[in-house]
Amino acid sequence: MFPRDFAWGAATAAYQIEGGWQADGRGASIWDTFCHGTGRVFGDHNGDVACNSYELWEEDLKCILQLGLTHYRLSISWARLLPDGTRQRVNQKGVQYYNKVIDDLLAAHVSPMVTLYHFDLPQALQDQGGWKSPNIASLFNSYAQFCFEAFGDRVKLWITINEPYVCAKLGHEDGIHAPGLTEPGIAAYLVGHNMLRAHALAWHSYDKIFRPKQNGLVSLALNSDWLEPLDPDCAEDIAATQRDIAFTLGWFAWPVFVTGDYPEVMRTFIEANSQKHGYTGESRLPFFSKDEPAILGTADFFALNFYTSRKVTSAGARFDKLSMKSDQNVQEVLDPSWPISGVSWLAVVPDGLRKLLSYKNFGDPAIYITENGFAQVGSLQMEDVQRVEFYKQTISEVARAITENGVNVRGYFAWSLMDNFEWADGYSARFGLFHVDFSDEKLPRTIYRSGKEYAKLIKRYNS
Ligand code: GBH
């Protein structure tokens, strides 16, 4: 059912697991700043210690081996390598840390997939405008080149940026992620634009300078729910669904995989809404410059983070302020038959993944599912039977996508290797295949039932 070289993985991200926020010369990131304020994160939790993977990496490695993973997806903390974000000052202790992680993985026959940016911009760069500033693209490119140089002899799968949609919208429109800005209808489009420019520059650098020797693959990880019309026979709901896809996954996937530019419907709806609100500035959705390297074709595979599904209907222009919501003018609803996981946004709809994988609107590239998982909240259940079911059903939908729909799925990464700092939810939502006891200063990792079952499943398919 799964190809021989299928990647069986689990994923983490630096700020969510590493801790060691001031260890050995690491610079501060926007998530340090955000969490050290009050009232932003559940229980005012922060990632100062997290799973302390900075000191306990070898414990993580044991978990990886216990699961029998063929691949492990981690992210690099930009500010741990380059404390002020630039190559003027390199923190060699940071380089050593990631060298050890990568070398240990390879010695254990586990292939690393490395994300360069998973939400944690160096604070020093935020102070210069962060992702809103056009300069960020070349700063990111320089950081990416540094990483390709340092680790690219051994890392063959790269993700430049994780979920530009989430950084742009949650960080700059809703303000519920760092840097906590709320500039509705304006900043997020600019941030998304600069993220695409940054990604494309890094991809072109890799393609020209590093690929000839290193021969790896580079992409960006895009999150998407499966979206379908509330009433499949209603033309308005169908149009609303297409618009919703265009404004979420399409915002990034359309320029990278299809045309080099934003979806037409994004621009027309944004311009119309600007007019409606008497907004007369430059277009809120920036234009790509012909003088910069092309965006089209800057991904060697499709990296998809999938969690859940939604039904979509038109919002009937009821949003009255200028915002992404009013630009988009759609309403997402849950089907009452869908069970909800621990977190309210995560309805369990495994066949949504097969539908999304089979949706050929962005071409037919090779796909890695770079994240998929299920949250537990409240009382601890080591026998997490719901999560076991979730993984079994979801993975069988991946198998069907491959065998019945002919989709070229290359790998699957569970989110997450272990319980960790779940952004605005702090430590209240547990996504791990291993439980981490945050009340014990040794931070012991203990496998959940779901971890044991995932290990069995990998063994069955991978032998
Ligand atoms: C991923 O995002 C992240 O890459 C990862 O770091 C994270 O730990 C994992 O998901 C689990 O959440 O709170 O109602 O405003 C997944 C995409 C988009 C899902 C934002 C949650 C927030 C909904 N996420 N969404 S809400």
Side-chain angles (χ1 to χ4, degrees):
M1 263 191 288
F2 291 95
R4 266 204 168 277
D5 56 350
F6 194 80
W8 289 104
T12 58
Y15 188 73
Q16 294 180 273
I17 66 163
E18 282 180 6
W21 79 285
Q22 288 180 308
D24 295 337
R26 174 188 179 277
S29 86
I30 56 174
W31 270 94
D32 297 307
T33 311
F34 189 72
C35 294
H36 293 155
T38 52
R40 288 164 160 174
V41 172
F42 176 92
D44 286 342
H45 295 171
N46 60 55
D48 291 4
V49 179
C51 308
N52 196 14
S53 292
Y54 186 62
E55 291 181 321
L56 299 178
W57 153 248
E58 288 179 5
E59 298 305 310
D60 300 353
L61 181 60
K62 285 183 198 158
C63 299
I64 290 166
L65 296 180
Q66 200 176 338
L67 294 175
L69 302 181
T70 66
H71 288 64
Y72 176 57
R73 177 174 176 232
L74 65 134
S75 88
I76 289 179
S77 159
W78 185 343
R80 193 181 292 292
L81 283 190
L82 310 176
D84 69 3
T86 75
R87 295 179 69 161
Q88 271 166 356
R89 202 152 55 82
V90 176
N91 176 22
Q92 288 303 335
K93 286 282 170 73
V95 179
Q96 279 165 27
Y97 174 67
Y98 295 111
N99 269 333
K100 176 162 170 53
V101 170
I102 292 163
D103 288 344
D104 286 356
L105 286 169
L106 291 175
H109 305 289
V110 179
S111 304
M113 175 186 273
V114 174
T115 303
L116 297 175
Y117 186 79
H118 200 123
F119 303 174
D120 50 352
L121 192 72
Q123 182 60 44
L125 299 184
Q126 186 62 43
D127 297 342
Q128 298 162 41
W131 287 106
K132 282 168 63 182
S133 157
N135 289 336
I136 196 69
S138 68
L139 289 163
F140 179 78
N141 185 31
S142 159
Y143 160 61
Q145 290 193 4
F146 179 85
C147 294
F148 298 149
E149 252 164 61
F151 310 117
D153 56 336
R154 289 153 293 152
V155 175
K156 302 301 163 189
L157 290 169
W158 292 99
I159 301 292
T160 55
I161 295 176
N162 181 68
E163 300 184 348
Y165 176 90
V166 171
C167 297
K169 173 131 187 318
L170 278 65
H172 302 80
E173 168 108 1
D174 304 334
I176 60 177
H177 273 198
L181 300 180
T182 46
E183 299 168 15
I186 312 246
Y189 297 123
L190 188 55
V191 165
H193 191 72
N194 288 331
M195 289 191 139
L196 278 167
R197 292 175 53 242
H199 158 76
L201 287 185
W203 183 88
H204 284 287
S205 294
Y206 190 82
D207 197 49
K208 264 200 227 89
I209 308 169
F210 300 96
R211 195 195 305 278
K213 267 212 183 126
Q214 300 183 346
N215 210 19
L217 303 174
V218 181
S219 188
L220 76 176
L222 303 180
N223 60 296
S224 186
D225 301 345
W226 168 247
L227 302 171
E228 60 187 37
L230 181 61
D231 175 354
D233 299 319
C234 166
E236 250 191 49
D237 287 5
I238 294 169
T241 306
Q242 285 167 352
R243 201 158 65 241
D244 201 359
I245 296 171
F247 269 87
T248 52
L249 183 54
W251 183 5
F252 302 97
W254 195 254
V256 170
F257 290 93
V258 190
T259 65
D261 204 351
Y262 295 114
E264 192 75 29
V265 69
M266 253 186 114
R267 193 166 296 282
T268 51
F269 271 67
I270 289 171
E271 299 312 345
N273 206 32
S274 284
Q275 287 216 331
K276 178 176 157 186
H277 290 275
Y279 181 89
T280 52
E282 267 177 69
S283 173
R284 291 178 292 123
L285 187 66
F287 290 90
F288 293 108
S289 160
K290 298 239 173 341
D291 302 330
E292 289 195 349
I295 307 291
L296 179 63
T298 59
D300 303 319
F301 58 93
F302 201 109
L304 174 68
N305 293 355
F306 172 82
Y307 287 88
T308 189
S309 301
R310 293 285 184 275
K311 302 237 160 154
V312 184
T313 177
S314 166
R318 68 186 173 83
F319 300 110
D320 53 353
K321 289 203 194 80
L322 192 71
S323 68
M324 289 184 75
K325 258 198 151 110
S326 66
D327 289 337
Q328 204 169 330
N329 193 32
V330 302
Q331 203 182 338
E332 292 183 353
V333 295
L334 293 168
D335 186 300
S337 75
W338 295 339
I340 304 292
S341 85
V343 286
S344 60
W345 57 268
L346 209 168
V348 178
V349 197
D351 70 341
L353 178 54
R354 185 170 60 89
K355 291 177 185 166
L356 182 56
L357 290 170
S358 314
Y359 177 77
K360 303 276 170 72
N361 205 32
F362 302 109
D364 195 6
I367 302 175
Y368 282 85
I369 298 153
T370 37
E371 286 180 29
N372 174 248
F374 177 100
Q376 186 184 97
V377 299
S379 66
L380 177 64
Q381 287 175 275
M382 293 306 297
E383 294 295 315
D384 52 343
V385 287
Q386 283 175 298
R387 181 153 44 203
V388 170
E389 265 315 296
F390 172 90
Y391 276 119
K392 283 196 173 152
Q393 287 173 20
T394 310
I395 290 167
S396 87
E397 293 295 333
V398 177
R400 286 184 65 196
I402 295 171
T403 54
E404 293 174 30
N405 305 89
V407 185
N408 184 13
V409 188
R410 308 293 314 143
Y412 175 89
F413 291 76
W415 182 272
S416 176
L417 178 66
M418 58 193 162
D419 295 342
N420 59 44
F421 176 76
E422 177 50 24
W423 307 116
D425 288 333
Y427 297 96
S428 70
R430 298 182 297 269
F431 272 92
L433 294 166
F434 282 77
H435 175 59
V436 178
D437 184 355
F438 294 102
S439 69
D440 179 334
E441 65 177 31
K442 293 205 177 80
L443 299 163
R445 286 85 161 125
T446 310
I447 195 162
Y448 284 105
R449 168 65 57 190
S450 56
K452 293 179 189 166
E453 295 298 325
Y454 189 47
K456 276 192 211 159
L457 193 143
I458 293 174
K459 205 165 180 184
R460 175 146 42 93
Y461 287 122
N462 196 47
S463 54

